[in-house]
Amino acid sequence: MRVIIVGCGKLGSGLAKALLRKGNRVTIIDRDPESFDLLGADFAGQKIVGIGFDRDILEQAEIRRADAVIACGK
């Protein structure tokens, strides 16, 4: 499954890591690049710096191919 997560706080980062462990393709979006530190150095998903409701950012995340989009606040 292809999943886009908007927001890389405690909830978003934990969810992203759990979904990756289950074999999903994960893209996570956050406007603060330092937020990605919560993912750890071994995170194998895609990280995108930007605003999660910006059309260009969502297209970069391949939203048209996504099975799910999850919004997580900080």
Side-chain angles (χ1 to χ4, degrees):
M1 198 163 78
R2 294 173 180 257
V3 180
I4 297 172
I5 299 173
V6 179
C8 191
K10 288 182 183 179
L11 177 62
S13 63
L15 183 59
K17 292 186 282 188
L19 287 169
L20 270 177
R21 280 193 300 270
K22 299 236 180 226
N24 298 287
R25 294 185 64 181
V26 176
T27 299
I28 191 158
I29 302 169
D30 200 286
R31 62 182 165 192
D32 179 6
E34 291 183 14
S35 295
F36 299 129
D37 292 346
L38 293 171
L39 297 169
D42 61 338
F43 181 74
Q46 181 182 19
K47 299 177 265 189
I48 299 176
V49 177
I51 298 173
F53 58 84
D54 181 272
R55 181 182 182 139
D56 293 333
I57 294 297
L58 291 171
E59 287 179 4
Q60 182 181 346
E62 298 182 350
I63 192 166
R64 294 172 198 247
R65 299 180 72 193
D67 296 301
V69 177
I70 303 165
C72 298
K74 285 191 179 183

Short mmCIF file of all heavy atoms in Angstrom, two decimals:
data_model
loop_
_atom_site.label_atom_id
_atom_site.label_comp_id
_atom_site.label_asym_id
_atom_site.label_seq_id
_atom_site.Cartn_x
_atom_site.Cartn_y
_atom_site.Cartn_z
N MET A 1 0.84 -1.16 0.00
CA MET A 1 0.00 0.00 0.00
C MET A 1 0.89 1.24 0.00
O MET A 1 1.94 1.26 0.63
CB MET A 1 -0.89 -0.03 1.25
CG MET A 1 -2.07 0.88 1.16
SD MET A 1 -3.37 0.51 2.35
CE MET A 1 -2.70 1.23 3.81
N ARG A 2 0.47 2.28 -0.70
CA ARG A 2 1.19 3.56 -0.73
C ARG A 2 0.47 4.54 0.19
O ARG A 2 -0.72 4.81 0.00
CB ARG A 2 1.20 4.14 -2.14
CG ARG A 2 1.99 3.33 -3.12
CD ARG A 2 1.80 3.91 -4.52
NE ARG A 2 2.54 3.18 -5.49
CZ ARG A 2 3.68 3.59 -6.02
NH1 ARG A 2 4.19 4.74 -5.68
NH2 ARG A 2 4.31 2.85 -6.89
N VAL A 3 1.20 5.07 1.16
CA VAL A 3 0.60 5.95 2.16
C VAL A 3 1.37 7.26 2.22
O VAL A 3 2.60 7.26 2.24
CB VAL A 3 0.62 5.28 3.56
CG1 VAL A 3 -0.01 6.19 4.59
CG2 VAL A 3 -0.09 3.93 3.52
N ILE A 4 0.63 8.36 2.25
CA ILE A 4 1.22 9.68 2.47
C ILE A 4 0.80 10.13 3.86
O ILE A 4 -0.39 10.10 4.19
CB ILE A 4 0.73 10.69 1.42
CG1 ILE A 4 1.17 10.27 0.02
CG2 ILE A 4 1.24 12.10 1.75
CD1 ILE A 4 0.56 11.10 -1.10
N ILE A 5 1.76 10.56 4.65
CA ILE A 5 1.49 11.09 5.98
C ILE A 5 1.89 12.54 5.99
O ILE A 5 3.01 12.89 5.61
CB ILE A 5 2.26 10.31 7.06
CG1 ILE A 5 1.83 8.85 7.05
CG2 ILE A 5 2.04 10.95 8.43
CD1 ILE A 5 2.65 7.95 7.95
N VAL A 6 0.98 13.39 6.40
CA VAL A 6 1.25 14.82 6.51
C VAL A 6 1.42 15.14 7.99
O VAL A 6 0.50 14.97 8.78
CB VAL A 6 0.11 15.67 5.91
CG1 VAL A 6 0.41 17.15 6.07
CG2 VAL A 6 -0.11 15.31 4.44
N GLY A 7 2.63 15.55 8.36
CA GLY A 7 2.93 15.87 9.75
C GLY A 7 3.87 14.84 10.35
O GLY A 7 3.52 13.67 10.46
N CYS A 8 5.05 15.27 10.71
CA CYS A 8 6.06 14.35 11.25
C CYS A 8 6.35 14.67 12.71
O CYS A 8 7.49 14.89 13.11
CB CYS A 8 7.33 14.41 10.40
SG CYS A 8 8.51 13.10 10.80
N GLY A 9 5.30 14.69 13.50
CA GLY A 9 5.46 14.81 14.95
C GLY A 9 5.57 13.41 15.54
O GLY A 9 5.91 12.45 14.85
N LYS A 10 5.22 13.28 16.82
CA LYS A 10 5.30 11.97 17.47
C LYS A 10 4.35 10.97 16.81
O LYS A 10 4.74 9.83 16.53
CB LYS A 10 4.96 12.10 18.94
CG LYS A 10 6.03 12.78 19.74
CD LYS A 10 5.67 12.84 21.20
CE LYS A 10 6.72 13.60 21.99
NZ LYS A 10 6.39 13.69 23.40
N LEU A 11 3.12 11.37 16.54
CA LEU A 11 2.14 10.47 15.93
C LEU A 11 2.53 10.11 14.50
O LEU A 11 2.57 8.94 14.14
CB LEU A 11 0.75 11.08 15.97
CG LEU A 11 -0.36 10.27 15.30
CD1 LEU A 11 -0.53 8.93 16.00
CD2 LEU A 11 -1.66 11.05 15.32
N GLY A 12 2.81 11.11 13.69
CA GLY A 12 3.14 10.88 12.28
C GLY A 12 4.40 10.05 12.10
O GLY A 12 4.43 9.12 11.28
N SER A 13 5.44 10.34 12.86
CA SER A 13 6.69 9.59 12.73
C SER A 13 6.52 8.15 13.20
O SER A 13 7.01 7.21 12.56
CB SER A 13 7.83 10.27 13.48
OG SER A 13 7.56 10.31 14.87
N GLY A 14 5.81 7.95 14.29
CA GLY A 14 5.56 6.60 14.79
C GLY A 14 4.74 5.78 13.81
O GLY A 14 5.03 4.61 13.55
N LEU A 15 3.72 6.41 13.24
CA LEU A 15 2.88 5.74 12.26
C LEU A 15 3.68 5.39 11.01
O LEU A 15 3.57 4.29 10.46
CB LEU A 15 1.69 6.64 11.91
CG LEU A 15 0.66 6.08 10.95
CD1 LEU A 15 0.06 4.80 11.47
CD2 LEU A 15 -0.42 7.12 10.71
N ALA A 16 4.51 6.31 10.56
CA ALA A 16 5.33 6.08 9.37
C ALA A 16 6.26 4.88 9.57
O ALA A 16 6.37 4.01 8.70
CB ALA A 16 6.15 7.33 9.03
N LYS A 17 6.92 4.81 10.72
CA LYS A 17 7.83 3.70 10.99
C LYS A 17 7.07 2.38 11.08
O LYS A 17 7.53 1.36 10.55
CB LYS A 17 8.63 3.96 12.26
CG LYS A 17 9.62 5.11 12.10
CD LYS A 17 10.53 5.29 13.29
CE LYS A 17 9.82 5.99 14.42
NZ LYS A 17 10.71 6.34 15.54
N ALA A 18 5.91 2.40 11.71
CA ALA A 18 5.11 1.18 11.83
C ALA A 18 4.62 0.69 10.46
O ALA A 18 4.66 -0.51 10.17
CB ALA A 18 3.93 1.42 12.76
N LEU A 19 4.17 1.61 9.63
CA LEU A 19 3.70 1.23 8.30
C LEU A 19 4.82 0.68 7.43
O LEU A 19 4.63 -0.27 6.66
CB LEU A 19 3.03 2.42 7.62
CG LEU A 19 1.65 2.79 8.16
CD1 LEU A 19 1.20 4.14 7.61
CD2 LEU A 19 0.63 1.72 7.85
N LEU A 20 6.02 1.26 7.55
CA LEU A 20 7.17 0.74 6.80
C LEU A 20 7.52 -0.67 7.24
O LEU A 20 7.82 -1.53 6.41
CB LEU A 20 8.39 1.65 6.99
CG LEU A 20 8.56 2.78 6.00
CD1 LEU A 20 9.76 3.63 6.36
CD2 LEU A 20 8.70 2.27 4.59
N ARG A 21 7.49 -0.92 8.55
CA ARG A 21 7.80 -2.25 9.06
C ARG A 21 6.84 -3.30 8.50
O ARG A 21 7.19 -4.46 8.36
CB ARG A 21 7.76 -2.27 10.58
CG ARG A 21 8.99 -1.72 11.25
CD ARG A 21 9.05 -2.04 12.73
NE ARG A 21 7.92 -1.51 13.47
CZ ARG A 21 7.86 -0.32 14.05
NH1 ARG A 21 8.90 0.49 13.97
NH2 ARG A 21 6.79 0.07 14.71
N LYS A 22 5.62 -2.88 8.21
CA LYS A 22 4.61 -3.80 7.67
C LYS A 22 4.71 -3.93 6.14
O LYS A 22 3.88 -4.57 5.52
CB LYS A 22 3.22 -3.31 8.05
CG LYS A 22 3.01 -3.26 9.54
CD LYS A 22 1.84 -4.06 9.94
CE LYS A 22 1.67 -3.97 11.44
NZ LYS A 22 1.44 -5.26 12.01
N GLY A 23 5.71 -3.28 5.53
CA GLY A 23 5.95 -3.43 4.11
C GLY A 23 5.27 -2.42 3.21
O GLY A 23 5.23 -2.59 2.00
N ASN A 24 4.74 -1.35 3.77
CA ASN A 24 4.09 -0.31 2.98
C ASN A 24 5.11 0.69 2.45
O ASN A 24 6.19 0.84 3.01
CB ASN A 24 3.06 0.43 3.84
CG ASN A 24 1.96 -0.49 4.31
OD1 ASN A 24 1.12 -0.89 3.53
ND2 ASN A 24 1.98 -0.85 5.58
N ARG A 25 4.73 1.38 1.38
CA ARG A 25 5.55 2.48 0.85
C ARG A 25 5.03 3.75 1.50
O ARG A 25 3.85 4.08 1.38
CB ARG A 25 5.42 2.56 -0.66
CG ARG A 25 6.03 1.33 -1.33
CD ARG A 25 6.02 1.45 -2.81
NE ARG A 25 6.88 2.56 -3.19
CZ ARG A 25 7.06 2.94 -4.44
NH1 ARG A 25 6.45 2.33 -5.43
NH2 ARG A 25 7.85 3.94 -4.72
N VAL A 26 5.90 4.47 2.18
CA VAL A 26 5.49 5.63 2.97
C VAL A 26 6.21 6.88 2.49
O VAL A 26 7.43 6.89 2.30
CB VAL A 26 5.78 5.41 4.47
CG1 VAL A 26 5.44 6.65 5.28
CG2 VAL A 26 5.02 4.19 4.99
N THR A 27 5.43 7.94 2.31
CA THR A 27 5.96 9.28 2.06
C THR A 27 5.46 10.15 3.20
O THR A 27 4.27 10.14 3.52
CB THR A 27 5.46 9.84 0.72
OG1 THR A 27 5.91 8.99 -0.33
CG2 THR A 27 5.96 11.26 0.49
N ILE A 28 6.35 10.90 3.81
CA ILE A 28 5.95 11.79 4.91
C ILE A 28 6.32 13.22 4.55
O ILE A 28 7.40 13.50 4.01
CB ILE A 28 6.56 11.32 6.25
CG1 ILE A 28 5.92 12.08 7.41
CG2 ILE A 28 8.06 11.38 6.25
CD1 ILE A 28 6.03 11.38 8.74
N ILE A 29 5.40 14.13 4.84
CA ILE A 29 5.55 15.55 4.50
C ILE A 29 5.53 16.37 5.78
O ILE A 29 4.66 16.17 6.63
CB ILE A 29 4.39 16.01 3.58
CG1 ILE A 29 4.34 15.18 2.30
CG2 ILE A 29 4.52 17.50 3.27
CD1 ILE A 29 3.07 15.40 1.48
N ASP A 30 6.45 17.30 5.88
CA ASP A 30 6.44 18.25 7.00
C ASP A 30 7.15 19.52 6.55
O ASP A 30 8.08 19.46 5.75
CB ASP A 30 7.13 17.67 8.24
CG ASP A 30 6.71 18.39 9.51
OD1 ASP A 30 7.17 19.54 9.73
OD2 ASP A 30 5.92 17.82 10.27
N ARG A 31 6.71 20.64 7.07
CA ARG A 31 7.34 21.90 6.67
C ARG A 31 8.64 22.17 7.41
O ARG A 31 9.43 23.02 7.01
CB ARG A 31 6.37 23.06 6.86
CG ARG A 31 5.93 23.26 8.28
CD ARG A 31 4.94 24.39 8.39
NE ARG A 31 4.29 24.32 9.68
CZ ARG A 31 3.24 25.00 10.00
NH1 ARG A 31 2.71 25.83 9.13
NH2 ARG A 31 2.70 24.88 11.19
N ASP A 32 8.88 21.43 8.51
CA ASP A 32 10.11 21.61 9.29
C ASP A 32 11.04 20.42 9.05
O ASP A 32 10.77 19.30 9.51
CB ASP A 32 9.75 21.70 10.78
CG ASP A 32 10.97 21.87 11.67
OD1 ASP A 32 12.09 22.04 11.15
OD2 ASP A 32 10.79 21.83 12.90
N PRO A 33 12.14 20.63 8.34
CA PRO A 33 13.04 19.51 8.04
C PRO A 33 13.61 18.82 9.28
O PRO A 33 13.93 17.64 9.25
CB PRO A 33 14.15 20.13 7.19
CG PRO A 33 14.00 21.59 7.32
CD PRO A 33 12.62 21.90 7.79
N GLU A 34 13.71 19.54 10.39
CA GLU A 34 14.22 18.94 11.62
C GLU A 34 13.25 17.91 12.20
O GLU A 34 13.66 17.04 12.98
CB GLU A 34 14.54 20.02 12.65
CG GLU A 34 15.73 20.87 12.25
CD GLU A 34 16.10 21.91 13.28
OE1 GLU A 34 15.61 21.82 14.44
OE2 GLU A 34 16.87 22.82 12.94
N SER A 35 11.98 17.98 11.82
CA SER A 35 10.99 17.01 12.29
C SER A 35 11.34 15.60 11.86
O SER A 35 11.02 14.63 12.55
CB SER A 35 9.60 17.36 11.77
OG SER A 35 9.17 18.57 12.30
N PHE A 36 12.02 15.47 10.73
CA PHE A 36 12.36 14.15 10.22
C PHE A 36 13.37 13.42 11.10
O PHE A 36 13.57 12.22 10.96
CB PHE A 36 12.87 14.24 8.78
CG PHE A 36 11.85 14.80 7.82
CD1 PHE A 36 12.18 15.84 6.98
CD2 PHE A 36 10.56 14.30 7.77
CE1 PHE A 36 11.25 16.37 6.09
CE2 PHE A 36 9.62 14.81 6.89
CZ PHE A 36 9.97 15.85 6.04
N ASP A 37 14.01 14.14 12.02
CA ASP A 37 14.94 13.50 12.96
C ASP A 37 14.24 12.43 13.79
O ASP A 37 14.86 11.45 14.20
CB ASP A 37 15.57 14.54 13.90
CG ASP A 37 16.51 15.50 13.18
OD1 ASP A 37 16.88 15.21 12.02
OD2 ASP A 37 16.85 16.53 13.77
N LEU A 38 12.93 12.60 14.02
CA LEU A 38 12.15 11.62 14.79
C LEU A 38 12.06 10.27 14.08
O LEU A 38 11.77 9.25 14.72
CB LEU A 38 10.74 12.14 15.05
CG LEU A 38 10.60 13.35 15.97
CD1 LEU A 38 9.18 13.88 15.95
CD2 LEU A 38 11.00 12.96 17.38
N LEU A 39 12.31 10.25 12.79
CA LEU A 39 12.20 9.01 12.02
C LEU A 39 13.41 8.10 12.19
O LEU A 39 13.32 6.90 11.95
CB LEU A 39 12.02 9.34 10.53
CG LEU A 39 10.75 10.09 10.17
CD1 LEU A 39 10.82 10.58 8.74
CD2 LEU A 39 9.53 9.22 10.39
N GLY A 40 14.54 8.66 12.57
CA GLY A 40 15.76 7.88 12.70
C GLY A 40 16.52 7.81 11.39
O GLY A 40 15.96 8.04 10.32
N ALA A 41 17.76 7.47 11.49
CA ALA A 41 18.65 7.44 10.32
C ALA A 41 18.32 6.31 9.35
O ALA A 41 18.63 6.39 8.17
CB ALA A 41 20.10 7.32 10.77
N ASP A 42 17.64 5.27 9.83
CA ASP A 42 17.36 4.11 8.98
C ASP A 42 16.02 4.18 8.27
O ASP A 42 15.61 3.21 7.64
CB ASP A 42 17.46 2.83 9.81
CG ASP A 42 16.44 2.80 10.94
OD1 ASP A 42 15.96 3.87 11.35
OD2 ASP A 42 16.14 1.69 11.42
N PHE A 43 15.33 5.32 8.33
CA PHE A 43 14.03 5.45 7.69
C PHE A 43 14.18 5.31 6.18
O PHE A 43 14.93 6.03 5.54
CB PHE A 43 13.40 6.82 8.02
CG PHE A 43 12.05 7.03 7.42
CD1 PHE A 43 10.93 6.38 7.93
CD2 PHE A 43 11.86 7.86 6.33
CE1 PHE A 43 9.68 6.56 7.38
CE2 PHE A 43 10.62 8.06 5.77
CZ PHE A 43 9.52 7.41 6.31
N ALA A 44 13.45 4.36 5.60
CA ALA A 44 13.59 4.05 4.18
C ALA A 44 12.50 4.67 3.30
O ALA A 44 12.49 4.47 2.10
CB ALA A 44 13.58 2.54 3.99
N GLY A 45 11.61 5.43 3.91
CA GLY A 45 10.55 6.08 3.14
C GLY A 45 11.02 7.39 2.53
O GLY A 45 12.18 7.80 2.69
N GLN A 46 10.11 8.04 1.84
CA GLN A 46 10.42 9.32 1.21
C GLN A 46 10.04 10.45 2.17
O GLN A 46 8.97 10.42 2.79
CB GLN A 46 9.63 9.47 -0.09
CG GLN A 46 9.91 10.76 -0.82
CD GLN A 46 9.10 10.91 -2.09
OE1 GLN A 46 8.09 10.25 -2.27
NE2 GLN A 46 9.53 11.80 -2.96
N LYS A 47 10.90 11.45 2.28
CA LYS A 47 10.65 12.63 3.11
C LYS A 47 10.56 13.84 2.19
O LYS A 47 11.44 14.03 1.35
CB LYS A 47 11.77 12.83 4.12
CG LYS A 47 11.93 11.68 5.09
CD LYS A 47 13.10 11.90 6.02
CE LYS A 47 14.30 11.22 5.47
NZ LYS A 47 15.45 11.18 6.37
N ILE A 48 9.53 14.64 2.38
CA ILE A 48 9.34 15.84 1.57
C ILE A 48 9.14 17.02 2.51
O ILE A 48 8.26 17.00 3.37
CB ILE A 48 8.14 15.71 0.62
CG1 ILE A 48 8.34 14.56 -0.36
CG2 ILE A 48 7.91 17.02 -0.12
CD1 ILE A 48 7.17 14.29 -1.27
N VAL A 49 9.95 18.06 2.32
CA VAL A 49 9.79 19.29 3.09
C VAL A 49 8.80 20.17 2.35
O VAL A 49 8.99 20.49 1.17
CB VAL A 49 11.14 20.02 3.26
CG1 VAL A 49 10.94 21.34 3.99
CG2 VAL A 49 12.13 19.14 3.99
N GLY A 50 7.73 20.54 3.04
CA GLY A 50 6.74 21.41 2.43
C GLY A 50 5.44 21.38 3.22
O GLY A 50 5.34 20.73 4.26
N ILE A 51 4.48 22.09 2.70
CA ILE A 51 3.16 22.18 3.33
C ILE A 51 2.26 21.11 2.72
O ILE A 51 2.14 21.01 1.50
CB ILE A 51 2.58 23.59 3.15
CG1 ILE A 51 3.50 24.60 3.84
CG2 ILE A 51 1.16 23.66 3.71
CD1 ILE A 51 3.15 26.03 3.60
N GLY A 52 1.65 20.31 3.57
CA GLY A 52 0.92 19.13 3.14
C GLY A 52 -0.36 19.37 2.37
O GLY A 52 -0.93 18.42 1.84
N PHE A 53 -0.80 20.60 2.25
CA PHE A 53 -1.99 20.86 1.43
C PHE A 53 -1.63 21.63 0.16
O PHE A 53 -2.51 22.01 -0.61
CB PHE A 53 -3.09 21.59 2.23
CG PHE A 53 -2.66 22.90 2.82
CD1 PHE A 53 -2.68 24.07 2.07
CD2 PHE A 53 -2.25 22.98 4.14
CE1 PHE A 53 -2.28 25.29 2.60
CE2 PHE A 53 -1.87 24.20 4.69
CZ PHE A 53 -1.87 25.34 3.92
N ASP A 54 -0.35 21.81 -0.08
CA ASP A 54 0.12 22.47 -1.30
C ASP A 54 0.04 21.48 -2.46
O ASP A 54 0.55 20.36 -2.37
CB ASP A 54 1.56 22.94 -1.09
CG ASP A 54 2.11 23.66 -2.30
OD1 ASP A 54 2.66 22.95 -3.18
OD2 ASP A 54 1.99 24.89 -2.38
N ARG A 55 -0.57 21.88 -3.54
CA ARG A 55 -0.79 20.99 -4.68
C ARG A 55 0.51 20.44 -5.25
O ARG A 55 0.62 19.25 -5.55
CB ARG A 55 -1.57 21.74 -5.77
CG ARG A 55 -1.86 20.89 -6.96
CD ARG A 55 -2.59 21.67 -8.01
NE ARG A 55 -2.88 20.81 -9.14
CZ ARG A 55 -4.01 20.81 -9.79
NH1 ARG A 55 -4.96 21.65 -9.46
NH2 ARG A 55 -4.19 20.00 -10.80
N ASP A 56 1.52 21.29 -5.40
CA ASP A 56 2.80 20.84 -5.95
C ASP A 56 3.47 19.81 -5.04
O ASP A 56 4.06 18.84 -5.52
CB ASP A 56 3.75 22.02 -6.18
CG ASP A 56 3.26 22.95 -7.29
OD1 ASP A 56 2.54 22.48 -8.18
OD2 ASP A 56 3.61 24.15 -7.25
N ILE A 57 3.38 20.01 -3.75
CA ILE A 57 3.96 19.07 -2.79
C ILE A 57 3.22 17.73 -2.87
O ILE A 57 3.84 16.66 -2.88
CB ILE A 57 3.90 19.64 -1.35
CG1 ILE A 57 4.80 20.87 -1.23
CG2 ILE A 57 4.27 18.58 -0.32
CD1 ILE A 57 6.28 20.62 -1.45
N LEU A 58 1.90 17.77 -2.94
CA LEU A 58 1.13 16.53 -3.04
C LEU A 58 1.41 15.79 -4.34
O LEU A 58 1.46 14.56 -4.37
CB LEU A 58 -0.36 16.82 -2.87
CG LEU A 58 -0.76 17.26 -1.46
CD1 LEU A 58 -2.21 17.73 -1.45
CD2 LEU A 58 -0.55 16.14 -0.47
N GLU A 59 1.62 16.54 -5.41
CA GLU A 59 1.97 15.89 -6.67
C GLU A 59 3.36 15.27 -6.60
O GLU A 59 3.59 14.18 -7.12
CB GLU A 59 1.86 16.88 -7.83
CG GLU A 59 0.42 17.18 -8.18
CD GLU A 59 0.26 18.18 -9.31
OE1 GLU A 59 1.28 18.62 -9.89
OE2 GLU A 59 -0.89 18.52 -9.61
N GLN A 60 4.28 15.95 -5.93
CA GLN A 60 5.62 15.39 -5.72
C GLN A 60 5.54 14.09 -4.92
O GLN A 60 6.31 13.15 -5.15
CB GLN A 60 6.50 16.41 -4.99
CG GLN A 60 7.92 15.96 -4.78
CD GLN A 60 8.74 16.99 -4.04
OE1 GLN A 60 8.35 18.15 -3.90
NE2 GLN A 60 9.88 16.58 -3.54
N ALA A 61 4.59 14.02 -4.00
CA ALA A 61 4.38 12.82 -3.18
C ALA A 61 3.59 11.75 -3.93
O ALA A 61 3.33 10.69 -3.38
CB ALA A 61 3.66 13.20 -1.89
N GLU A 62 3.23 12.04 -5.17
CA GLU A 62 2.47 11.12 -6.02
C GLU A 62 1.11 10.76 -5.41
O GLU A 62 0.74 9.59 -5.31
CB GLU A 62 3.28 9.86 -6.33
CG GLU A 62 4.56 10.16 -7.09
CD GLU A 62 5.35 8.90 -7.44
OE1 GLU A 62 5.03 7.80 -6.95
OE2 GLU A 62 6.30 9.05 -8.22
N ILE A 63 0.38 11.79 -5.03
CA ILE A 63 -0.92 11.57 -4.39
C ILE A 63 -1.88 10.79 -5.28
O ILE A 63 -2.72 10.04 -4.79
CB ILE A 63 -1.56 12.91 -3.93
CG1 ILE A 63 -2.74 12.61 -3.01
CG2 ILE A 63 -1.93 13.77 -5.12
CD1 ILE A 63 -3.24 13.80 -2.24
N ARG A 64 -1.74 10.91 -6.58
CA ARG A 64 -2.64 10.18 -7.50
C ARG A 64 -2.43 8.67 -7.43
O ARG A 64 -3.30 7.91 -7.81
CB ARG A 64 -2.45 10.67 -8.93
CG ARG A 64 -2.90 12.10 -9.10
CD ARG A 64 -2.53 12.63 -10.47
NE ARG A 64 -2.58 14.07 -10.47
CZ ARG A 64 -3.46 14.79 -11.15
NH1 ARG A 64 -4.35 14.18 -11.88
NH2 ARG A 64 -3.42 16.09 -11.09
N ARG A 65 -1.30 8.25 -6.92
CA ARG A 65 -1.00 6.82 -6.81
C ARG A 65 -1.16 6.32 -5.37
O ARG A 65 -0.98 5.12 -5.10
CB ARG A 65 0.42 6.55 -7.28
CG ARG A 65 0.59 6.95 -8.76
CD ARG A 65 1.97 6.69 -9.26
NE ARG A 65 2.13 5.23 -9.39
CZ ARG A 65 3.28 4.64 -9.57
NH1 ARG A 65 4.39 5.34 -9.63
NH2 ARG A 65 3.35 3.34 -9.69
N ALA A 66 -1.50 7.22 -4.45
CA ALA A 66 -1.60 6.85 -3.03
C ALA A 66 -2.89 6.10 -2.73
O ALA A 66 -3.93 6.38 -3.31
CB ALA A 66 -1.52 8.10 -2.16
N ASP A 67 -2.79 5.16 -1.82
CA ASP A 67 -3.96 4.43 -1.35
C ASP A 67 -4.58 5.12 -0.14
O ASP A 67 -5.76 4.93 0.14
CB ASP A 67 -3.56 3.00 -0.96
CG ASP A 67 -3.07 2.21 -2.15
OD1 ASP A 67 -3.83 2.06 -3.11
OD2 ASP A 67 -1.90 1.76 -2.12
N ALA A 68 -3.77 5.91 0.58
CA ALA A 68 -4.27 6.60 1.77
C ALA A 68 -3.44 7.86 2.02
O ALA A 68 -2.26 7.90 1.73
CB ALA A 68 -4.18 5.69 2.99
N VAL A 69 -4.11 8.87 2.55
CA VAL A 69 -3.46 10.10 3.01
C VAL A 69 -3.91 10.31 4.44
O VAL A 69 -5.10 10.30 4.75
CB VAL A 69 -3.85 11.32 2.15
CG1 VAL A 69 -3.20 12.58 2.70
CG2 VAL A 69 -3.46 11.11 0.69
N ILE A 70 -2.94 10.48 5.33
CA ILE A 70 -3.22 10.62 6.76
C ILE A 70 -2.65 11.95 7.24
O ILE A 70 -1.46 12.21 7.05
CB ILE A 70 -2.60 9.47 7.57
CG1 ILE A 70 -3.12 8.12 7.03
CG2 ILE A 70 -2.89 9.62 9.05
CD1 ILE A 70 -2.32 6.93 7.50
N ALA A 71 -3.49 12.77 7.85
CA ALA A 71 -3.04 14.05 8.40
C ALA A 71 -2.84 13.91 9.89
O ALA A 71 -3.74 13.49 10.61
CB ALA A 71 -4.06 15.14 8.10
N CYS A 72 -1.63 14.24 10.36
CA CYS A 72 -1.29 14.14 11.78
C CYS A 72 -0.79 15.50 12.27
O CYS A 72 0.16 16.02 11.71
CB CYS A 72 -0.19 13.12 11.99
SG CYS A 72 -0.62 11.45 11.50
N GLY A 73 -1.42 16.04 13.27
CA GLY A 73 -0.98 17.30 13.84
C GLY A 73 0.17 17.09 14.81
O GLY A 73 0.46 15.98 15.21
N LYS A 74 0.82 18.16 15.14
CA LYS A 74 1.94 18.08 16.11
C LYS A 74 1.45 18.39 17.49
O LYS A 74 0.59 19.12 17.74
CB LYS A 74 3.04 19.05 15.71
CG LYS A 74 3.81 18.57 14.53
CD LYS A 74 5.03 19.44 14.36
CE LYS A 74 5.84 18.96 13.19
NZ LYS A 74 7.04 19.67 13.00
#
